[in-house]
Amino acid sequence: MDESAQNSDSDGGMFPAPQERRPVGAYRVLARKYRPSRFEDLIGQEPMVRTLKNAFDLDRIHQAYMLTGVRGVGKTTTARILARAFNYQLPARDGHPAVDRPTIHMAELGVHCQAIMDSRHVDVIEMDAASHTSIDDIREIVDSSRYQPAMARYKVYIIDEVHMLSKSAFNGLLKTLEEPPAHVKFLFATTEIDKVPVTVRSRCMRFDLRRIDTEVMLRHLAGICDKEKVEINHEALLLIARASEGSVRDALSLLDQAIAHGAGAPIEAEALRTMLGLADRSRTIALFEAVMRGDIAEALDTLKEQYDFGADPAKILTDLAEFVHFVTCMKISAKTAEIAAGQFEREKGAELAQKLAMSVLSRAWQILLKGIDEVKDSPRPLAAANMVLVRLAYAADLPSPEDVLRRLGGGASASTSEPARGPSGPSGGASAALRAAPQLATVRVAPAPRPAQAGPVAQIGPVAQAAPEIMLREFADLVALAAEKRDIQTKTALECDVRLVRFEQGRLEFALAPGASPTLPAQLSRKLQDWTGARWLVALSSQPGAPTLKEQAEARENERRVGVQAHPLVRATLERFPGAVIVAVRGGEDEESSPTAPLYEGAEARGDEITYADEAQEEDL
């Protein structure tokens, strides 16, 4: 309520406004000026108010209360109102009886109300747990709680952001919190209830303060604007209500900023978008239509235009996701958008809800939700947002799983839209629903031939065919198959860990090299069955087996080095450069056909390349 109304206590329920000592002419922000001082002034918290009213009327007042919720919904304010209700006292006057008991019906300022609301009452101690986290701070509270209140009925401890207390501080508070003196009440406020130990939560009566609904927030802001004599249109109020995300304090702070931005002029939605850096709602809808139509060029131009106007790319995608959610809700029930949107948005939402399938909207929501995080984390937000729109436009053409099954199942000839990717983007699918004169390329799916058999076949969908068997004639074929399947781990194990004993189609016997995994046979059995379509017997053998492929390659390399060293040219080179060693020998073209041929007999003919290294470099190599 405003100060002009508070200065008169003749209007049922109004009471004199608290007088603060502040410099003459100092401005008082709206969030403080219109801070509730009674339960009747709280908005959007009716369940909590009803519970507290019944508790006070039945004299069932709890010893500790836990108030939780997001920022700006009134946790600390509610705690102060509760402290005032605990200590409400009103002397008899003008024929009205005295009030000397806890009550939430506080039509007038009581004896202690002014000091409690000014946070200067000696028996109402407010503590910020963010700056008083230690056990020493809690020990002071425990020690002082033993003494009777100096003036009021109850000694009230208000601990804000209670989740910031240390573990030892919480433990030090437990005993007093469970069995406090009769004259002590605890009020806790927190935005992160999960960080409060369950041992503390179980000792408190908990109230979850809710975010304020858009409709309630609009009425509240409109009432304040009337009292402040500020001209503002409904669309601008709707922008503030959305941007506040259910926080009254955020909404009033934005309204304060809007009034200052307007400098006394009527506040319009366009000026408010400029101030907040928001995208125009009509441009957001136009962007969504362009993306669903597959017109990527127009979508990117619209995004760039809003970006140049000052809108944040992540915020643009967030608005786009909100509109997708809005259209989805409109498709389910039009009543969901009666208050939360303007007339133009409702009309467009209803139109798009009829044209777009639920699967398209669901897919768009998922892509945008993932894309928003990508844009926020990207060093180039605009480029990342462009790629999200491209992905969204092309994904709009993808058929649903039901369409895919219907097309693959055969039957009557069906026309299906093939995504024709033109210079401006994809066509078909969801974009076809939004195109005024769609030009679709069609593909005729021929019906599947019926098998010649006596009775009818009860079958839905395509026939699952077994994978053809793959014949492996030798062990090298198996290694090549692993490479073809891009299974590098299995290929390495076959080359380094398998000492082959026997190999034939359907049977593999080998011994394990030192250090090999004992589960290798079971893994190979599964891989072979998946790859070849046939069952394989893979077994470990007690025989030593042949050297592994790696060992065979190393033996051939050593043989080549020994053969090369006998070559006259190589021998002359080694003598010419004392200390040089042969590092590698790279064979000629016919190496694979004759890998074990002595290199010194045909080194010149094949043109082998020999690499030398100084002896001082040998250790590094």
Side-chain angles (χ1 to χ4, degrees), residues 224-256:
I224 291 178
C225 289
D226 290 341
K227 296 171 184 176
E228 293 289 324
K229 296 180 175 56
V230 174
E231 295 185 26
I232 183 170
N233 61 23
H234 178 78
E235 187 178 357
L237 283 179
L238 189 60
L239 286 176
I240 295 177
R242 284 174 176 164
S244 66
E245 298 180 347
S247 170
V248 182
R249 184 173 61 232
D250 288 4
L252 294 180
S253 298
L254 291 175
L255 182 58
D256 243 334

Side-chain angles (χ1 to χ4, degrees), residues 370-562:
K370 186 175 185 297
I372 291 171
D373 293 334
E374 294 178 1
V375 172
K376 289 180 179 179
D377 297 336
S378 174
R380 300 182 60 192
L382 180 60
N386 284 337
M387 297 308 298
V388 173
L389 293 184
V390 170
R391 187 190 316 160
L392 182 60
Y394 275 83
D397 277 329
L398 295 178
S400 65
E402 295 80 3
D403 294 336
V404 174
L405 291 176
R406 191 183 307 113
R407 296 171 190 177
L408 293 178
S413 298
S415 296
T416 61
S417 62
E418 179 184 4
R421 312 295 180 183
S424 63
S427 65
S431 58
L434 302 181
R435 203 174 270 112
Q439 310 251 337
L440 302 180
T442 61
V443 177
R444 297 291 179 180
V445 181
R450 292 180 176 272
Q453 55 184 17
V457 179
Q459 180 174 324
I460 300 177
V463 178
Q465 298 181 354
E469 292 191 11
I470 299 177
M471 300 299 293
L472 302 178
R473 295 181 175 82
E474 56 185 14
F475 185 66
D477 295 341
L478 175 56
V479 179
L481 180 60
E484 180 183 345
K485 297 295 184 179
R486 305 183 67 86
D487 192 335
I488 305 303
Q489 184 177 2
T490 302
K491 180 178 180 294
T492 303
L494 291 172
E495 293 174 341
C496 302
D497 299 335
V498 173
R499 291 180 171 175
L500 188 63
V501 174
R502 180 182 179 184
F503 184 89
E504 60 186 28
Q505 180 67 24
R507 186 180 182 87
L508 172 61
E509 294 184 25
F510 61 90
L512 290 175
S517 172
T519 62
L520 181 59
Q523 296 175 5
L524 288 178
S525 178
R526 291 193 299 269
K527 298 282 186 182
L528 283 169
Q529 183 173 352
D530 294 340
W531 292 345
T532 65
R535 298 184 64 85
W536 278 70
L537 174 62
V538 181
L540 289 178
S541 176
S542 59
Q543 301 181 26
T548 65
L549 295 181
K550 181 180 180 182
E551 293 171 344
Q552 295 178 28
E554 292 175 349
R556 286 196 300 270
E557 179 68 18
N558 292 333
E559 183 181 354
R560 295 175 68 185
R561 290 189 186 183
V562 173

Side-chain angles (χ1 to χ4, degrees), residues 25-53:
Y27 178 66
R28 195 179 185 198
V29 297
L30 297 180
R32 294 185 59 194
K33 184 176 182 179
Y34 293 96
R35 171 176 285 173
S37 56
R38 304 178 303 163
F39 285 107
E40 291 82 357
D41 300 332
L42 290 174
I43 62 172
Q45 311 300 339
E46 288 77 12
M48 180 191 68
V49 174
R50 183 170 59 252
T51 303
L52 290 174
K53 176 182 179 300

